[in-house]
Amino acid sequence: MIQQLRIYEIYEHNKAAFHARFRDHAARIMRTKYDFKFVAMWETTFGGRTEFVYVLEWPDEATKIAAWSALMADAEWTEIKRVTHAEHGLMVGTIEDRLLMPVDYSPVQGRSLVPGG
């Protein structure tokens, strides 16, 4: 198992709209169409900016790459982003994406972090 850390800069003025879009649309599409496995999600403030942070779990890097490619090409997701951007403006600033590979002495080495996984 590998984990993926995603950090999105989000904006206070449309934070509620961002969370509604992610909760009601992005996460649904990611889970149901492309088998994204969410470990956890957080909101934090760092360096004077508000961030939405989440961790995904993948069996391997090839699966991660294929799922993200499919999501980025998904017509429903493309349309949702278009509509919400028109209504609320830019909802995400900087995006950080990190692949987390457990070291051989990690307590999570080889096991799933997904609840029930």
Side-chain angles (χ1 to χ4, degrees):
M1 293 290 162
I2 58 173
Q3 283 74 35
Q4 180 183 16
L5 173 66
R6 301 276 295 179
I7 303 170
Y8 295 178
E9 175 186 16
I10 59 175
Y11 305 113
E12 286 296 323
H13 71 276
N14 59 10
K15 181 171 73 170
F18 166 83
H19 283 296
R21 180 176 80 175
F22 197 92
R23 178 189 61 242
D24 300 340
H25 302 292
R28 172 186 53 81
I29 293 167
M30 294 160 98
R31 283 183 182 118
T32 62
K33 289 186 174 183
Y34 305 109
D35 204 27
F36 281 59
K37 304 290 188 214
F38 289 90
V39 174
M41 301 170 197
W42 303 268
E43 185 178 299
T44 185
T45 303
F46 181 76
R49 67 184 204 175
T50 302
E51 297 174 331
F52 175 65
V53 179
Y54 63 102
V55 174
L56 299 164
E57 184 169 273
W58 303 100
D60 53 57
E61 192 171 2
T63 302
K64 175 191 80 77
I65 292 168
W68 276 104
S69 293
L71 176 66
M72 292 298 104
D74 186 273
E76 180 185 9
W77 179 231
T78 299
E79 179 63 9
I80 289 166
K81 287 190 300 184
R82 186 192 68 73
V83 168
T84 56
H85 179 80
E87 185 175 347
H88 301 287
L90 185 64
M91 298 175 82
V92 176
T94 304
I95 298 174
E96 296 179 43
D97 183 13
R98 301 181 188 147
L99 188 59
L100 306 175
M101 306 292 287
V103 294
D104 62 358
Y105 52 90
S106 172
V108 302
Q109 179 67 30
R111 68 180 177 91
S112 176
L113 301 177
V114 176

